[in-house]
Amino acid sequence: MMSEVTQAHEAELPCGADYLREILRAPVYEVAQVTPLQSMTRLGSRIGNQVQLKREDRQPVHSFKLRGAYNMMAQLTEAQRQAGVIAASAGNHAQGLAMSGKHLGVKATIVMPRTTPDIKVDAVRGFGGKVVLHGGNFDEAKAHAEMLAGQHGYTFIPPFDHPAVIAGQGTIGVELVQQNSHLDYIFVPVGGGGLAAGVAVLIKQLMPQIKVIGVEAEDSACLRAALDAGEPVTLDQVGMFADGVAVKRIGEETFRLCQQYLDDSITVSSDEICSAVKDIFEDTRAIAEPSGALSLAGLKKFAERHQLKDKQLAAVLSGANLNFHGLRYVSERCELGEKREGLLAVTIPERPGAFLDFCHILGGRAVTEFNYRYNNDSLANVFVGVRLIQGQEELDSIIADLRKGGYPVVDLSDDEMAKVHVRYMIGGRPSKPLKERLYSFEFPEYPGALLKFLNTLGTHWNISLFNYRNHGADYGRVLCGFELEEQDLLSFTSHLRELGYSWKDETDNPAYQFFLAQ
């Protein structure tokens, strides 16, 4: 039975009606925008549902965090405003706080880890915030912020675990039901839980028939851990790809609300997030940060898992503050997240024509990547990517065909180390002397281009090195090594002309000589 102390504590906590009132009276539109609910017709057609995207990336700070920060700061007393506010953040909360402080005339100090990228530090300063760089991680920055708050009398503005912050984020829910009152499901990202709690409590007061689903990254699922334990727990570590939701422990109040008002939750992988970033770009031309695309990744996975059809689904694009160079990783991984590419390790015999036989077994499917380096006179291991149309079922069929053809094969599509590291480390120096020449090619990106190359060159001279990756351009770059005697050069050059592809002799390239040549 609940103790009297616990009962008294529960009685002090805001109820759903309290939150509804606070959300409806939140003054966030003094700085925030009513963001569009944009249809994603391309994705919707593909998955058989109406999909809409709540564009919180369109806020002045490119994130929903402005709503919660401003709502709490607007409620400060005059004495608190005069003293100033402080927060610890390496991301969107920092920018929301800085802009809110500038609008309200309140001094805002943000403690950021020393490792914070300059682009984020400069953005906070651009909104008028004072930046203090301290510590090597968020926990150290937060401890320093709390110490400064005690020393100077600053009010600490938490990123998620406060009723005023939660109510500010909940204004998104009001806009959603105003913009489409026929929604069946709303998908919200979960980090510390402020956005999910605010939207869920609002929706369940106004339109409880709408299902609200929380979405977490697999490597930072603090809500899932808390639900399993029945209370907030601290994760040992979290992945930083979706850094906007990389939270080790969900808030006490946000967990209470999520546990009570969320209808369900789901976790997604980094590859699935990358796929959602691509979907957002293809439908809207917007570029979401990974945590910003999190809820759409959950929408897709949930719709497939529960076989949803002809439903009206909405996801919150929560932010677009990303490091531009991170798009290289997103581009590399999005096809894997959509099950449109499979990665395989295949053992092939070291003989002329073996590569061609291997490609014939693939049946004309587009090869997206091929990494190979001669090792010995018997066998060679290759790392190959294959474009898929029918997802895992097609990949299973390819694996079965290869094994039937006598090629040992291992599926590496879900092997994180293979995808992040090993694929770029295939190669090295040959184990025996080779009379090798190196050539670069530009392959036209159309079916059969690789087979034409192999039919023209691969059965005449042994290929000793091969690297190719499709990056979405009209031409793919290929690096290829051949075992060639001096007397073979004239005939080999004749075959190159017959091939018709752009090529260049790279044998004297210093990078090749330094890292790969005998």
Side-chain angles (χ1 to χ4, degrees):
M1 181 177 293
M2 184 183 297
S3 70
E4 291 183 5
V5 174
T6 304
Q7 287 177 338
H9 175 67
E10 290 289 339
E12 296 171 2
L13 296 174
C15 66
D18 294 330
Y19 271 106
L20 174 60
R21 181 176 60 253
E22 293 305 312
I23 291 170
L24 293 176
R25 66 193 296 185
V28 300
Y29 300 106
E30 294 173 7
V31 289
Q33 304 293 321
V34 175
T35 54
L37 184 62
Q38 184 172 358
S39 293
M40 297 186 67
T41 54
R42 181 171 178 162
L43 175 62
S45 176
R46 195 172 85 224
I47 69 173
N49 293 281
Q50 181 178 323
V51 179
Q52 295 183 297
L53 197 64
K54 184 63 172 162
R55 294 288 305 275
E56 283 298 289
D57 60 307
R58 300 283 291 272
Q59 293 294 352
V61 297
H62 307 294
S63 162
F64 76 98
K65 287 286 190 176
L66 176 62
R67 297 174 184 261
Y70 188 84
N71 190 49
M72 182 171 177
M73 288 178 63
Q75 298 177 34
L76 297 179
T77 65
E78 185 58 33
Q80 289 173 319
R81 293 192 184 196
Q82 289 296 324
V85 299
I86 193 168
S89 172
N92 295 335
H93 180 55
Q95 295 180 53
L97 189 76
M99 183 177 180
S100 299
K102 183 176 183 179
H103 184 85
L104 293 167
V106 177
K107 177 184 175 183
T109 301
I110 298 94
V111 182
M112 309 180 83
R114 297 185 187 278
T115 54
T116 304
D118 289 342
I119 187 172
K120 293 185 177 182
V121 175
D122 293 341
V124 172
R125 288 174 174 156
F127 285 117
K130 176 186 176 182
V131 175
V132 175
L133 297 175
H134 181 88
N137 54 53
F138 173 77
D139 290 334
E140 292 177 5
K142 182 181 179 182
H144 189 66
E146 291 172 338
M147 185 270 291
L148 291 176
Q151 282 185 351
H152 301 284
Y154 301 146
T155 298
F156 187 85
I157 307 294
F160 47 83
D161 199 26
H162 189 283
V165 175
I166 294 168
Q169 321 300 28
T171 56
I172 293 175
V174 178
E175 294 175 24
L176 281 166
V177 296
Q178 289 175 334
Q179 292 166 325
N180 185 355
S181 60
H182 299 287
L183 288 172
D184 296 301
Y185 289 84
I186 295 173
F187 293 82
V188 287
V190 180
L195 174 58
V199 171
V201 70
L202 180 282
I203 293 297
K204 294 307 173 181
Q205 305 309 304
L206 295 181
M207 304 189 75
Q209 74 277 13
I210 299 176
K211 304 295 185 185
V212 184
I213 313 298
V215 185
E216 294 186 279
E218 287 179 351
D219 54 10
S220 57
C222 60
L223 171 60
R224 182 73 267 160
L227 290 172
D228 291 342
E231 62 182 0
V233 295
T234 302
L235 302 177
D236 292 333
Q237 60 183 19
V238 294
M240 294 305 297
F241 172 60
D243 59 348
V245 292
V247 177
K248 287 186 175 182
R249 183 183 179 93
I250 196 168
E252 297 288 336
E253 177 65 356
T254 55
F255 173 66
R256 182 180 76 87
L257 296 173
C258 286
Q259 185 181 43
Q260 182 175 352
Y261 293 108
L262 279 180
D263 292 284
D264 203 349
S265 67
I266 191 169
T267 61
V268 295
S269 68
S270 294
D271 289 351
E272 289 166 334
I273 295 172
C274 291
S275 175
V277 172
K278 180 185 177 186
D279 288 323
I280 291 171
F281 175 77
E282 289 184 340
D283 250 313
T284 70
R285 292 301 184 264
I287 300 176
E289 63 184 277
S291 58
L294 180 65
S295 61
L296 185 67
L299 180 155
K300 292 166 57 183
K301 189 171 185 176
F302 190 93
E304 180 181 11
R305 177 176 294 176
H306 295 274
Q307 299 183 327
L308 300 183
K309 292 296 176 186
D310 300 320
K311 299 295 184 182
Q312 297 203 39
L313 317 176
V316 180
L317 196 177
S318 56
N321 291 307
L322 82 162
N323 183 336
F324 181 79
H325 297 295
L327 291 174
R328 287 182 293 187
Y329 178 91
V330 171
S331 176
E332 191 75 43
R333 302 292 287 269
C334 61
E335 297 297 293
L336 290 164
E338 197 63 54
K339 300 296 182 183
R340 294 179 183 174
E341 182 183 31
L343 299 180
L344 303 173
V346 183
T347 302
I348 66 173
E350 189 59 76
R351 59 172 173 77
F355 189 11
L356 177 60
D357 293 342
F358 165 77
C359 288
H360 278 306
I361 292 177
L362 293 181
R365 294 180 178 90
V367 174
T368 59
E369 181 172 3
F370 196 95
N371 292 290
Y372 158 67
R373 182 57 159 140
Y374 173 92
N375 188 39
N376 59 50
D377 290 333
S378 177
L379 298 172
N381 291 323
V382 299
F383 186 104
V384 61
V386 183
R387 179 81 66 220
L388 304 173
I389 298 175
Q390 299 173 345
Q392 188 63 44
E393 181 180 348
E394 183 179 2
L395 183 60
D396 292 340
S397 176
I398 292 171
I399 292 172
D401 289 344
L402 287 170
R403 288 173 176 164
K404 184 178 179 180
Y407 291 85
V409 57
V410 176
D411 184 2
L412 298 178
S413 304
D414 293 322
D415 188 317
E416 191 69 11
M417 191 177 77
K419 291 183 288 188
V420 174
H421 298 291
V422 174
R423 71 193 309 175
Y424 303 110
M425 299 171 69
I426 309 295
R429 301 181 188 278
S431 59
K432 74 170 188 177
L434 290 178
K435 294 186 176 180
E436 181 182 70
R437 297 195 70 84
L438 193 71
Y439 293 82
S440 61
F441 297 85
E442 287 186 346
F443 274 35
E445 293 292 0
Y446 61 75
L450 178 59
L451 285 176
K452 179 182 178 182
F453 174 87
L454 294 172
N455 279 317
T456 305
L457 300 174
T459 59
H460 300 278
W461 296 277
N462 190 45
I463 296 174
S464 53
L465 179 151
F466 195 97
N467 181 263
Y468 162 69
R469 182 63 186 167
N470 179 318
H471 286 289
D474 291 335
Y475 286 85
R477 291 186 172 275
V478 175
L479 189 67
C480 192
F482 295 87
E483 283 192 84
L484 293 171
E485 301 286 344
E486 282 294 323
Q487 61 267 26
D488 292 329
L489 289 179
L490 184 62
S491 177
F492 183 79
T493 303
S494 176
H495 280 77
L496 286 177
R497 295 194 182 101
E498 177 187 342
L499 177 65
Y501 296 172
S502 177
W503 59 274
K504 179 182 179 182
D505 189 334
E506 302 278 10
T507 306
D508 295 327
N509 181 285
Y512 164 68
Q513 293 293 336
F514 193 82
F515 292 109
L516 296 172
Q518 180 67 38

